[in-house]
Amino acid sequence: MKRLGDLPPKYNFALNPYAEARFTKCPNCERKTGQRKLPLVVHIDPQNLIFLNYTNKYCKTCDLLIAHQDEIEHHLTTLFRQTSPEVIGNRYLVPGTIERKAWKENIQNPKPFAEMRQHIYDFSSHQEIQMSASGWYKDGEEPPLQKPSHSTEWVKR
């Protein structure tokens, strides 16, 4: 797979599509999660790259960052509502993080992507979060998967 950044991969990543789940425990190891605030790299189709300073849930044991899709989409909608409303609802991907120092410098003095690339860490892995539907089931019966929340903000108008 082609990498976006020049720095070695860092962190495992999961984008939580369930607005009602906030993961106080890691979905992998079930240990308590903490928080880690990092500038995430977000690519929005067709060619919009932004750096979003975001507080993720973090499992130190699994080196797993969990971002909440509804919160990310709220920030993106707020950002693009005035500048480029036609971008709202486009597909997006969160491929990694950027060094905090480079992110801060880019706010003061925006640089071209070729220059910023040397400060980007791709994620080591992307994990998918799926939840089982709650309820009573017969012995041996597998509960169906719960459908993820649908965005109310990040939609084409």
Side-chain angles (χ1 to χ4, degrees), residues 79-106:
L79 178 70
F80 287 108
R81 187 175 285 134
Q82 297 298 321
T83 59
S84 303
E86 70 279 1
V87 172
I88 296 173
N90 287 1
R91 289 179 40 183
Y92 67 91
L93 176 68
V94 184
T97 64
I98 186 164
E99 292 177 321
R100 181 165 296 284
K101 183 178 178 186
W103 168 73
K104 283 182 179 180
E105 288 174 4
N106 191 59

